[in-house]
């Protein structure tokens, strides 16, 4: 006995996007059985993490060739404590290094100048030595 399998058009494999995959540091998505072309979803970072500025948590069911596929998010979840202050911390770190280098350089120049000045005074004859030289010559 032969049976003909029939499927409704909405369940044809090329008419629905594949199952959703997990994305790094995100909460599980509340998913349905199937998603149609042009439907979209948003990933959400797990507690304690936030979306990094400039990245997107949006994915969309798109037709690529004959097959529906999910677009990839650019989402990067970062720890809340590093979120807003990371750039400031980097600049503060760089600034601290520059200030340290400048202070060391200024200190070095001052020490060099002081040593030169002390040598000049040490080599200069005292008034008594000048008197003795005048007497001798």
């Amino acid at each position: 006995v032969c049976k003909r399998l029939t499927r409704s058009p909405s369940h044809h494999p090329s008419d629905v996007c594949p199952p959703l995959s997990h994305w790094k540091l995100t909460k599980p998505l509340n998913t349905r059985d199937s998603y149609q072309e042009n439907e979209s979803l948003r990933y959400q970072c797990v507690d304690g993490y936030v979306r990094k500025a400039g990245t997107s948590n949006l994915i969309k069911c798109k037709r690529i060739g004959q097959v529906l596929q999910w677009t990839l998010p650019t989402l990067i979840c970062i720890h809340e404590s590093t979120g807003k202050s990371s750039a400031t911390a980097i600049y503060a770190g760089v600034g601290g290094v520059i200030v340290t280098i400048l202070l060391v350089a200024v200190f070095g120049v001052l020490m060099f100048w002081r040593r030169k000045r002390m040598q000049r005074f040490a080599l200069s004859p005292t008034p008594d030595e000048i008197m003795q030289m005048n007497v001798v010559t």
Side-chain angles (χ1 to χ4, degrees):
V1 176
C2 291
K3 284 188 177 181
R4 183 173 177 192
L5 295 174
T6 57
R7 294 184 187 173
S8 64
S10 65
H11 288 91
H12 191 272
S14 64
D15 289 336
V16 294
C17 261
L20 290 156
S21 58
H22 180 72
W23 196 253
K24 302 173 281 291
L25 298 171
T26 61
K27 294 178 179 180
L29 291 166
N30 294 329
T31 59
R32 302 189 315 244
D33 287 341
S34 64
Y35 289 88
Q36 306 298 313
E37 187 172 1
N38 294 322
E39 288 190 278
S40 60
L41 290 171
R42 290 189 181 272
Y43 282 101
Q44 186 178 0
C45 294
V46 294
D47 293 339
Y49 286 79
V50 294
R51 181 178 60 85
K52 182 179 178 181
T55 67
S56 175
N57 60 351
L58 180 71
I59 59 171
K60 197 169 188 178
C61 183
K62 285 282 201 187
R63 186 171 299 279
I64 300 169
Q66 299 297 315
V67 183
L68 289 177
Q69 293 182 354
W70 289 105
T71 59
L72 290 175
T74 57
L75 176 64
I76 298 173
C77 294
I78 55 173
H79 200 268
E80 275 181 324
S81 64
T82 60
K84 294 176 185 166
S85 60
S86 63
T88 307
I90 290 167
Y91 288 124
V94 169
V97 169
I98 290 171
V99 168
T100 303
I101 290 169
L102 288 174
L103 286 174
V104 168
V106 167
F107 182 75
V109 167
L110 286 174
M111 292 305 290
F112 179 77
W113 179 73
R114 186 170 178 236
R115 180 178 288 167
K116 280 287 191 194
R117 195 169 151 217
M118 294 304 277
Q119 285 176 351
R120 194 176 68 211
F121 285 131
L123 295 175
S124 300
T126 63
D128 289 339
E129 291 172 331
I130 291 170
M131 291 292 273
Q132 287 175 2
M133 284 191 283
N134 285 339
V135 170
V136 172
T137 55

